[in-house]
């Protein structure tokens, strides 16, 4: 298995990984303007990009996912709840669905809260074993923080949904699991993000304040610590939904 983390603009973190033996790869949370990097990494690794995935419809940057997918002839993937919402064709991802990337398996975890369509991607390298190796947490869980709950409105309601997603889908996973988030310090997608671009679930359970609170305290804390809305947010969302085409 190969794995690349790419630090892009707006403190975004994108990912490129896959199975070299079967020449298959996945690109996740591509920022517009970075498509050439993924094409070049695929060339250097001698792999085909089989899936391009956005963990949710982004509100803080223009996505390059759809453009990259069209360029390499791969499906562009979003959670299935976006059906009828976005104005283009995409491959819908369902909760629990497993994507086959050679020896690498990617399990989709629907984790609404930051947005209703947010997903995390649980990744297993079967050459290492059957246990999952790492999880791409998108904007659901950051190093040192959790995602902001207000982008869809209904801040308190969505904060409660995010708490339930964290405790039902992520916290039961093994402590040794590595986590790779969609942003690091400097992003407006959460408050209190660490500048460290990865962690383990066990470390976050111990030290991430968002994971040590009960539900009421979590909702109160998240709705009191909401950063300013991203610049150009409305235009970015419209573009990422295909409404600006």
């Amino acid at each position: 298995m190969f794995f690349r983390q790419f630090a892009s603009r707006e403190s975004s973190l994108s990912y490129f990984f896959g199975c070299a033996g079967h020449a298959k790869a996945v690109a996740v949370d591509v920022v517009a303007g970075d498509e050439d990097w993924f094409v070049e990494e695929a060339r250097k690794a001698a792999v085909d990009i089989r899936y391009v995935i956005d963990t949710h419809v982004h509100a803080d940057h223009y996505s390059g996912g759809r453009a990259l997918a069209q360029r390499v002839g791969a499906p562009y993937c979003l959670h299935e709840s976006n059906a009828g919402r976005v104005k283009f064709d995409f491959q819908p991802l369902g909760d629990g669905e497993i994507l086959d990337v050679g020896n690498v398996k990617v399990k989709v975890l629907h984790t609404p809260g930051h947005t209703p369509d947010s997903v995390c991607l649980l990744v297993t390298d079967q050459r290492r074993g059957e246990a999952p190796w790492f999880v791409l947490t998108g904007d659901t869980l950051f190093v040192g923080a959790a995602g902001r709950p207000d982008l869809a409105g209904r801040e308190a309601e969505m904060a409660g949904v995010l708490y339930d997603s964290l405790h039902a889908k992520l916290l039961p996973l093994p402590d040794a699991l590595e986590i790779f988030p969609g942003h690091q310090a400097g992003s407006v997608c959460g408050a209190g993000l660490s500048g460290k671009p990865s962690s383990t679930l066990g470390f976050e359970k111990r030290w991430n304040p968002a994971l040590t609170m009960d539900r009421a305290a979590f909702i109160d804390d998240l709705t009191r610590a909401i950063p300013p809305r991203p610049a150009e947010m409305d235009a970015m969302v419209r573009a990422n939904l295909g409404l600006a085409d």
Side-chain angles (χ1 to χ4, degrees), residues 174-216:
D175 283 0
L177 194 71
E178 297 177 53
I179 68 167
F180 292 93
H183 293 283
Q184 56 187 336
S187 170
V188 296
C189 287
L193 281 70
S194 171
K196 190 172 184 296
S198 66
S199 185
T200 66
L201 190 57
F203 191 90
E204 295 306 302
K205 287 180 184 179
R206 175 67 179 85
W207 298 107
N208 188 327
L211 303 183
T212 62
M213 305 174 188
D214 64 24
R215 195 174 192 273

Side-chain angles (χ1 to χ4, degrees), residues 74-224:
Y76 174 58
C77 306
L78 290 168
H79 184 256
E80 62 189 3
S81 60
N82 286 297
R85 180 178 178 230
V86 302
K87 302 306 177 184
F88 48 79
D89 292 333
F90 69 96
Q91 179 168 317
L93 301 177
D95 184 45
E97 180 176 350
I98 296 176
L99 303 179
D100 189 325
V101 192
N103 292 316
V104 175
K105 309 301 177 186
V106 181
K107 184 175 182 179
V108 177
L109 306 178
H110 184 211
T111 52
H114 173 67
T115 62
D117 65 319
S118 290
V119 298
C120 296
L121 302 173
L122 186 64
V123 180
T124 300
D125 179 3
Q126 292 187 322
R127 294 193 65 182
R128 284 173 58 106
E130 294 302 317
W133 187 353
F134 62 87
V135 59
L136 304 185
T137 54
D139 289 11
T140 296
L141 178 64
F142 300 120
V143 179
R148 63 187 294 168
D150 66 304
L151 297 180
R154 313 187 312 276
E155 289 87 349
E157 176 190 343
M158 293 303 288
V161 171
L162 180 57
Y163 179 92
D164 294 340
S165 290
L166 289 168
H167 285 261
K169 295 292 182 68
L170 292 182
L171 295 191
L173 296 170
D175 283 0
L177 194 71
E178 297 177 53
I179 68 167
F180 292 93
H183 293 283
Q184 56 187 336
S187 170
V188 296
C189 287
L193 281 70
S194 171
K196 190 172 184 296
S198 66
S199 185
T200 66
L201 190 57
F203 191 90
E204 295 306 302
K205 287 180 184 179
R206 175 67 179 85
W207 298 107
N208 188 327
L211 303 183
T212 62
M213 305 174 188
D214 64 24
R215 195 174 192 273
F218 178 90
I219 293 171
D220 179 68
D221 182 74
L222 232 61
T223 53
R224 281 191 297 104

